[in-house]
């Protein structure tokens, strides 16, 4: 019997144990077919059932309005950094696109968009080291812009938008990679939402894209077929061979979410989990939270210890205790506990106990 390891990695991240067990059980024989789910055609009836029921289940769980499409696209979240401007800024690369620079991924998104749109960064958290989300006043949202891009949860810094701006006529685009399905979202506020799968949804390498019907029509002829939203919607994400395994895995994750009581129940659990850690950060002088209390993420909890040497020791000892991958992103350092939907409360409690003990013995 091996020791239970809790995986706090930021992504690819842990999947629910029940999901992985089910994958193992049906790996060699997908529901009586005698072949594996990764060996069947993406155009066969059984796979059609997988993709259709995945979309249906997502709608059921999120209450996604009917005028939004659910697409599965190649290239993870980052491919969307280019696909969004290519599709939405239209044929004119001088079309303005607004960006909220609240962290590393927002910055990369703006950079990747620059060849395809006139990128304008309207707020930046750089001065605070991205530890909070700067206020966004409505006059900054120029109404002739093609869209406004924001990162709803900033994975490296552990901050999130609690309330989303009203874009007026400007469609709101959100990169929800590190938090989709972790809290209830009113999708009708957004023109498009995308998420790389590897944090809350499944394996890496693909993205889920939720797009409002009227935004499908702006792509110019230069947009590559596999990045064209309208083409993807028309082909129900099967323009070419998709990552069938990834979509199968998403369905299992969604079924697991439903069994957990749906998004409202998961959201409450995520609040409880993150509150355990934030309470300790607030009461101790040894640990210092990175994110401003008003913008704390429930998915990525970031903190510092008094010295880098202590942080290194913390990470090594935690790992020896079965608490895996707690080092912060290489560009920011410190400690980051990624506690996505599948992380059980017991895992967070074990981390809190470890932190108290470490503080007592090393502090
Ligand atoms: C992880 C992450 C990405 C990058 O995802 P890839 O699939 O590697 O491109 C982008 N945005 C956010 C917010 C992320 O957390």
């Amino acid at each position: 019997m091996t020791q239970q390891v809790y995986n706090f990695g930021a992504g690819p991240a842990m999947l629910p144990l029940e999901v992985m067990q089910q994958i193992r059980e049906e790996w060699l024989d997908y529901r009586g077919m005698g072949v594996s789910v990764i060996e069947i055609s993406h155009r066969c009836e059984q796979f059609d059932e997988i993709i259709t029921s995945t979309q249906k289940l997502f709608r059921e769980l999120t209450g996604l309005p009917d005028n939004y499409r659910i697409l599965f696209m190649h290239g993870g979240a980052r491919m969307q950094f280019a696909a969004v401007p290519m599709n939405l800024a239209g044929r004119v690369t001088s079309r303005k696109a607004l960006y909220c620079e609240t962290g590393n991924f927002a910055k990369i998104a703006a950079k990747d968009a620059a060849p395809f749109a006139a990128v304008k960064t309207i707020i930046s958290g750089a001065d605070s080291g991205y530890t909070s989300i700067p206020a966004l006043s409505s006059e900054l949202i120029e109404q002739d812009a093609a869209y406004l891009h924001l990162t709803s949860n900033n994975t490296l810094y552990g901050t999130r938008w609690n309330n989303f701006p009203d874009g007026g006529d400007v469609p709101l685009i959100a990169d929800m990679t590190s938090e989709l399905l972790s809290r209830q979202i009113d999708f009708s506020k957004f023109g498009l939402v995308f998420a790389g799968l590897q944090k809350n949804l499944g394996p890496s390498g693909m993205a889920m894209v939720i797009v409002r019907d009227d935004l499908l029509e702006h792509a110019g002829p230069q947009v590559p077929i596999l990045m064209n939203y309208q083409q993807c919607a028309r082909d129900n994400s099967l323009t070419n061979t998709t990552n069938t395994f990834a979509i199968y895995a998403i369905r299992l994750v969604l079924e697991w979410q439903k069994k957990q009581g749906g998004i409202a129940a998961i959201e409450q659990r995520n609040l409880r989990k993150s509150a355990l850690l934030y309470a300790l950060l607030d009461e101790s002088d040894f640990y210092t939270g990175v994110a401003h209390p008003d913008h704390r993420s429930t998915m990525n909890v970031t903190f510092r210890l008094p010295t880098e040497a202590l942080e290194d020791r913390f990470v090594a000892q935690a790992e020896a205790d079965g608490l895996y991958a707690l080092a912060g992103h290489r560009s920011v350092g410190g400690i980051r506990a990624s506690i996505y939907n599948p992380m059980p409360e017991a895992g967070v409690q074990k981390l809190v106990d470890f932190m108290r003990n470490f503080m007592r013995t090393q502090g």
Side-chain angles (χ1 to χ4, degrees), residues 10-11 75-79 81 105-106 151-156 175-179 194-199 204-207 300 340:
R78 187 155 179 186
M79 191 76 94
F81 293 177
F105 286 117
T151 315
S152 66
N153 183 77
N154 298 282
T155 324
L156 272 63
D175 174 357
M176 294 199 181
T177 297
S178 48
E179 71 153 1
F194 64 88
L197 303 186
Q198 69 274 25
K199 278 131 193 180
S204 58
M206 290 201 86
N300 311 98
Y340 300 122

Side-chain angles (χ1 to χ4, degrees), residues 44-273:
C44 75
E45 168 196 330
Q46 288 83 356
F47 186 73
D48 181 63
E49 192 272 327
I50 291 174
I51 194 166
T52 308
S53 62
T54 304
Q55 290 160 326
K56 190 162 159 262
L57 197 47
F58 185 88
R59 285 185 189 281
E60 184 189 325
L61 283 166
T62 59
L64 184 69
D66 288 341
N67 61 325
Y68 287 75
R69 304 295 184 90
I70 301 168
L71 313 178
F72 301 101
M73 299 185 79
H74 303 283
R78 187 155 179 186
M79 191 76 94
Q80 296 305 312
F81 293 177
V84 165
M86 285 177 124
N87 280 274
L88 303 188
R91 292 149 206 261
V92 205
T93 52
S94 59
R95 189 82 198 275
K96 205 179 303 164
L98 309 177
Y99 279 76
C100 300
E101 190 193 282
T102 55
N104 182 58
F105 286 117
K107 216 165 140 177
I108 299 172
K111 190 168 139 250
D112 286 2
F116 312 111
V119 166
K120 189 167 175 185
T121 298
I122 53 171
I123 52 168
S124 170
D127 288 348
S128 77
Y130 302 112
T131 55
S132 63
I133 309 280
L136 171 57
S137 63
S138 55
E139 59 269 26
L140 288 172
I141 307 173
E142 295 169 54
Q143 291 297 302
D144 60 340
Y147 62 86
L148 167 63
H149 175 285
L150 62 83
T151 315
S152 66
N153 183 77
N154 298 282
T155 324
L156 272 63
Y157 307 92
T159 62
R160 77 167 192 188
W161 294 73
N162 290 309
N163 303 298
F164 298 105
D166 180 356
D169 289 337
V170 180
L172 212 56
I173 312 296
D175 174 357
M176 294 199 181
T177 297
S178 48
E179 71 153 1
L180 190 63
L181 299 174
S182 73
R183 59 169 157 158
Q184 289 179 294
I185 295 285
D186 177 2
F187 285 94
S188 70
K189 286 192 169 156
F190 297 90
L192 183 148
V193 166
F194 64 88
L197 303 186
Q198 69 274 25
K199 278 131 193 180
N200 268 318
L201 300 171
S204 58
M206 290 201 86
M208 196 163 181
V209 180
I210 294 136
V211 55
R212 209 173 60 209
D213 283 336
D214 62 288
L215 295 176
L216 292 171
E217 287 148 23
H218 300 282
Q222 80 284 12
V223 179
I225 284 290
L226 292 181
M227 294 171 78
N228 184 306
Y229 293 140
Q230 188 163 45
Q231 186 76 43
C232 192
R234 232 182 245 147
D235 296 336
N236 196 21
S237 303
L238 297 175
T239 306
N240 74 333
T241 316
T242 190
N243 183 339
T244 51
F245 175 73
I247 297 171
Y248 158 75
I250 298 173
R251 179 173 73 177
L252 298 184
V253 169
L254 294 174
E255 284 170 348
W256 174 84
Q257 285 233 348
K258 190 174 167 180
K259 275 193 219 122
Q260 303 294 304
I263 295 183
I266 295 245
E267 178 171 10
Q268 288 311 310
R269 196 170 73 186
N270 288 334
L271 286 167
R272 286 197 302 273
K273 277 156 48 184

Side-chain angles (χ1 to χ4, degrees), residues 14-31:
M14 70 174 290
L15 284 173
L17 188 60
E18 297 91 323
V19 166
M20 289 192 290
Q21 280 166 340
Q22 189 171 348
I23 291 170
R24 187 176 62 184
E25 273 159 32
E26 29 186 58
W27 185 244
L28 297 180
D29 178 9
Y30 180 69
R31 306 194 185 175

